[in-house]
Amino acid sequence: MSLQHTPPRGATKKSGKGRPQMEEEGPTEASASVTVMAQEELPKKPKGRKSEMDDLRIFLAAELKIFGEKLDTFKVDLKAEIHATVEQMFENWKRTREEEVKNQMEAVETRLVSLETKVQTEMDPIRHELNQHRIAITELEKCAATSAETVSQLLIENQRLTSMVSKLNDKCIDLEGRQRRKNLRIVGVKEGSEREMGTRDFVADLLQKALKLDHKPLLGRAHRAQRRRTQDDAHPRQIIVKVQQDHEFDDIMKKIVRSSQLLFEGVRFSIYRDYPAEVFKKRVLFTETKRILKNVPDLRYSLLYPARLRVTYKSKELFFTDHEKALEYAKEVGNMTTD
């Protein structure tokens, strides 16, 4: 529906000479009535200018009313047409968008199906591998459980064997100590002194003279320590002696304890009991403790076999197997005596 502007009837328009002319009226009811009235009044005297203006005003008012009615009708029709057009456009756009969305959804669905198929295809070997791993892990768990049980048993067995080895080691050391029970070590005797008499006779004579024994002790064997001889005589090898008779060994040990120093050819030497290496190392740890306790008055001590220090002081008797604790006690007693 198109809207064209139609000038109102009775309006003036320019003629070719530039003078305004009245537009021709169409065959409307108002123009017809005016024409009839004009024809009826033709014999009458023409009206004045004011009367013409009133007629023109009436005519224009009628035309404007008609134009207003047409304009209202046009507005209603235009509004309806615009509304219908917008609804049609919206329906078309909606239909188009629905088709586009539908196509896109179908494309997405197709893509998802393709991806799902691809994922399924690629997941099959992974699932198989996972199953293999699950089986392997199950087997490993069983093996681990079995191994844990075995290890637990082995630990128990190891503890038992360790305890047994420790006991056997202690027994071996004890047996070795018992075998060396009547052995002596002589330290500080010049190398070669025993060549003329032989080692056993030389040692028997040395013990008799140095310890002032009634007779020469009966020795089972006597020899130098089995190590390489040094070039100088600053550190001669020790002489290891085995005394045959128990009572003779006890007499020798008593004499050694009572003797302040032992001399051979003007050179001082020492005699010790022969202990296993393990026992000797433990006993050496108490050397500093014994040196301190020796200077404490009214205190008696003795190092029992294998390495246990017995201390008697102020009517109290104490035993120490830990050399560090024994040293702390000796320092404490020594400081009390000094104060």
Side-chain angles (χ1 to χ4, degrees):
M1 178 179 181
S2 60
L3 179 62
Q4 296 180 356
H5 177 67
T6 304
R9 294 184 182 90
T12 58
K13 64 177 180 179
K14 293 182 180 181
S15 62
K17 294 182 180 181
R19 292 180 297 179
Q21 297 180 354
M22 294 296 294
E23 186 179 0
E24 296 181 356
E25 298 177 358
T28 62
E29 294 179 358
S31 60
S33 62
V34 173
T35 303
V36 172
M37 291 175 63
Q39 289 177 359
E40 291 177 352
E41 296 178 355
L42 283 177
K44 298 179 180 180
K45 186 180 181 179
K47 295 180 180 180
R49 184 172 181 83
K50 183 177 181 180
S51 179
E52 291 178 359
M53 292 299 294
D54 292 337
D55 295 337
L56 181 59
R57 189 179 293 112
I58 294 172
F59 173 76
L60 291 175
E63 288 295 325
L64 288 174
K65 183 178 180 181
I66 296 170
F67 178 77
E69 294 175 353
K70 290 183 178 180
L71 184 60
D72 293 337
T73 304
F74 174 76
K75 287 181 180 180
V76 173
D77 295 341
L78 180 61
K79 185 177 181 180
E81 185 176 354
I82 292 173
H83 183 72
T85 303
V86 170
E87 287 185 351
Q88 184 64 33
M89 291 175 64
F90 177 75
E91 290 295 332
N92 294 336
W93 177 84
K94 182 179 178 181
R95 190 180 302 107
T96 304
R97 293 303 300 169
E98 287 179 350
E99 292 179 357
E100 291 178 357
V101 171
K102 184 178 179 181
N103 294 334
Q104 291 178 359
M105 291 296 293
E106 291 178 353
V108 170
E109 185 176 358
T110 304
R111 180 63 176 169
L112 289 175
V113 172
S114 176
L115 289 175
E116 184 179 1
T117 304
K118 184 178 180 180
V119 168
Q120 291 293 338
T121 304
E122 294 179 355
M123 284 295 293
D124 288 340
I126 297 176
R127 288 195 184 94
H128 178 71
E129 187 174 356
L130 286 175
N131 290 331
Q132 296 296 326
H133 288 323
R134 189 178 294 108
I135 295 172
I137 290 172
T138 304
E139 295 296 329
L140 288 175
E141 288 177 349
K142 293 180 180 179
C143 294
T146 305
S147 300
E149 184 178 358
T150 305
V151 169
S152 178
Q153 294 176 356
L154 289 175
L155 288 174
I156 296 173
E157 184 68 15
N158 181 60
Q159 292 178 355
R160 187 184 68 83
L161 293 177
T162 302
S163 177
M164 182 182 297
V165 169
S166 178
K167 292 179 180 179
L168 291 175
N169 185 56
D170 294 339
K171 286 185 178 181
C172 289
I173 294 174
D174 183 67
L175 288 174
E176 185 179 356
R178 292 178 182 277
Q179 285 184 343
R180 299 187 182 193
R181 182 175 52 186
K182 294 184 290 184
N183 287 7
L184 297 174
R185 282 183 177 265
I186 303 175
V187 183
V189 177
K190 184 179 179 181
E191 290 274 358
S193 301
E194 69 278 10
R195 289 179 181 175
E196 295 180 359
M197 301 175 59
T199 304
R200 186 173 61 177
D201 294 336
F202 169 78
V203 172
D205 185 68
L206 175 65
L207 292 175
Q208 182 183 14
K209 292 180 180 179
L211 299 176
K212 298 178 182 181
L213 300 175
D214 296 336
H215 59 276
K216 292 182 179 180
L218 181 62
L219 305 180
R221 64 177 183 274
H223 59 83
R224 291 278 181 177
Q226 301 299 315
R227 65 178 179 82
R228 187 175 181 180
R229 180 178 178 180
T230 58
Q231 297 296 331
D232 57 352
D233 293 332
H235 301 284
R237 292 176 295 171
Q238 300 179 6
I239 299 176
I240 302 173
V241 181
K242 182 176 181 60
V243 182
Q244 286 290 94
Q245 301 297 328
D246 292 341
H247 67 277
E248 290 182 349
F249 180 82
D250 294 337
D251 291 340
I252 291 172
M253 293 306 301
K254 291 178 181 178
K255 293 286 185 179
I256 291 172
V257 173
R258 294 171 184 173
S259 300
S260 58
Q261 63 178 358
L262 302 176
L263 298 175
F264 174 72
E265 296 181 355
V267 179
R268 185 175 178 176
F269 71 96
S270 304
I271 301 175
Y272 303 98
R273 292 189 64 170
D274 185 26
Y275 293 107
E278 294 81 359
V279 175
F280 178 75
K281 291 178 182 179
K282 292 180 180 180
R283 295 176 71 89
V284 168
L285 297 175
F286 289 92
T287 302
E288 180 65 18
T289 304
K290 292 191 296 181
R291 186 187 65 79
I292 297 174
L293 295 177
K294 185 177 181 181
N295 299 323
V296 178
D298 299 329
L299 185 144
R300 292 184 301 167
Y301 70 89
S302 59
L303 190 59
L304 304 178
Y305 185 85
R308 192 167 72 135
L309 181 65
R310 180 175 62 186
V311 180
T312 304
Y313 183 60
K314 294 182 178 181
S315 302
K316 291 183 179 180
E317 190 175 46
L318 303 175
F319 294 90
F320 297 94
T321 56
D322 188 349
H323 68 282
E324 293 181 354
K325 293 182 179 180
L327 183 59
E328 291 178 1
Y329 173 77
K331 290 181 179 179
E332 181 180 354
V333 174
N335 292 333
M336 291 174 58
T337 304
T338 304
D339 296 340

